[in-house]
């Protein structure tokens, strides 16, 4: 900030950019597929593997929605980490980009360990072609967040929420989601 002071919030004039922003724009212009990963380490490792990769600042849940338009017409591959934040990110990125990009593919590491990411996948000697494709619905189910259940309105006969409420950010939103998803006469067991 001014005079070398620490800032505790983003200034109003702050304009977000993505990691390796210029290279990303060049790739999109040239029709080269682009890769969205979580974190600079994964982006650097993807680039070392010959991909055009980017990430955003401030973590998995902080992709700047105003930057989605940059991906207009692009072939986008999103690598989701094998954790709740990663699966939530997959759902969010798919929602943000599906009507903008020419295609959006969600992939996850083939390393079947909690929290594994692209760097773990590559460190295990696996190639980019060995990433596992998952759908946005699978990503939502794997995230299994109580505040955004992956079910259509009124379609679930029984919902079992065992040790759920103490782990969600909003128990009220979870209750609203349960009510929304339950079919007429459906039951929630909490």
């Amino acid at each position: 900030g001014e005079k070398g002071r620490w800032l505790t919030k983003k200034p109003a004039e702050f304009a977000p950019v993505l990691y390796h922003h210029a290279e990303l724009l060049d790739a999109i212009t040239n029709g080269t597929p682009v890769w969205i990963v979580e974190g600079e380490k994964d982006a650097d490792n993807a680039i070392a593997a010959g991909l055009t990769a980017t990430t955003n600042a401030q973590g998995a849940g902080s992709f700047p929605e105003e930057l989605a338009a940059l991906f207009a017409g692009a072939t986008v591959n999103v690598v989701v980490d094998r954790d709740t934040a990663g699966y939530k990110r997959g759902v969010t990125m798919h929602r943000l980009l599906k009507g903008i990009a020419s295609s959006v593919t969600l992939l996850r590491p083939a390393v079947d360990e909690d929290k594994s990411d692209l760097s773990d996948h590559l460190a295990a000697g696996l190639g980019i072609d060995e990433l596992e494709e998952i759908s946005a619905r699978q990503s939502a189910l794997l995230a299994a967040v109580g505040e955004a259940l992956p079910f259509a309105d009124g379609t679930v006969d029984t919902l079992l929420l065992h040790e759920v409420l103490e782990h969600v950010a909003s128990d009220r939103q979870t209750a609203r989601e349960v009510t929304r998803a339950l079919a007429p006469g459906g039951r929630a067991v909490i």
Side-chain angles (χ1 to χ4, degrees), residues 11 19 21 29 32 35-36 93-94 97 100 139 149 153 156 163-164 167 169:
Y19 192 59
H21 198 90
T29 299
T32 302
W35 294 73
I36 300 174
M93 297 308 300
H94 189 268
L97 299 175
I100 296 169
S139 194
L149 296 173
D153 295 356
V156 179
E163 296 186 21
V164 171
H167 298 289

Side-chain angles (χ1 to χ4, degrees), residues 125-146:
L126 299 167
I128 296 300
D129 60 335
E130 294 174 279
L131 289 163
E132 299 173 354
E133 184 173 346
I134 62 171
S135 69
R137 179 163 170 73
Q138 287 171 309
S139 194
L141 288 168
L142 289 163
V145 291

Side-chain angles (χ1 to χ4, degrees), residues 23-24 26-35 50-52 73-77:
E23 294 89 341
L24 174 72
D26 288 344
I28 293 170
T29 299
N30 295 327
T32 302
V34 296
W35 294 73
L51 306 175
T52 299
T75 299
V76 180
N77 298 292

Side-chain angles (χ1 to χ4, degrees), residues 77-137:
N77 298 292
V78 180
V79 180
V80 300
D81 290 2
R82 279 184 176 262
D83 57 22
T84 301
Y87 293 125
K88 282 183 185 179
R89 178 182 177 87
V91 172
T92 300
M93 297 308 300
H94 189 268
R95 178 185 53 79
L96 281 175
L97 299 175
K98 70 179 178 182
I100 296 169
S102 66
S103 69
V104 181
T105 303
L106 301 180
L107 303 142
R108 69 177 177 184
V111 175
D112 192 16
E113 293 177 19
D114 191 36
K115 300 191 180 292
S116 62
D117 58 17
L118 178 63
S119 294
D120 297 320
H121 177 90
L122 295 171
L126 299 167
I128 296 300
D129 60 335
E130 294 174 279
L131 289 163
E132 299 173 354
E133 184 173 346
I134 62 171
S135 69
R137 179 163 170 73

Side-chain angles (χ1 to χ4, degrees), residues 7 9 27 30 32 43 59 66 70 75 85 93 107 111 142 155 172-173 178-179 181 183 189:
L7 299 175
K9 63 180 182 177
N30 295 327
T32 302
E66 63 268 33
L70 295 175
T75 299
M93 297 308 300
L107 303 142
V111 175
L142 289 163
T155 59
R172 288 177 188 241
Q173 178 59 31
V178 167
T179 303
V189 180

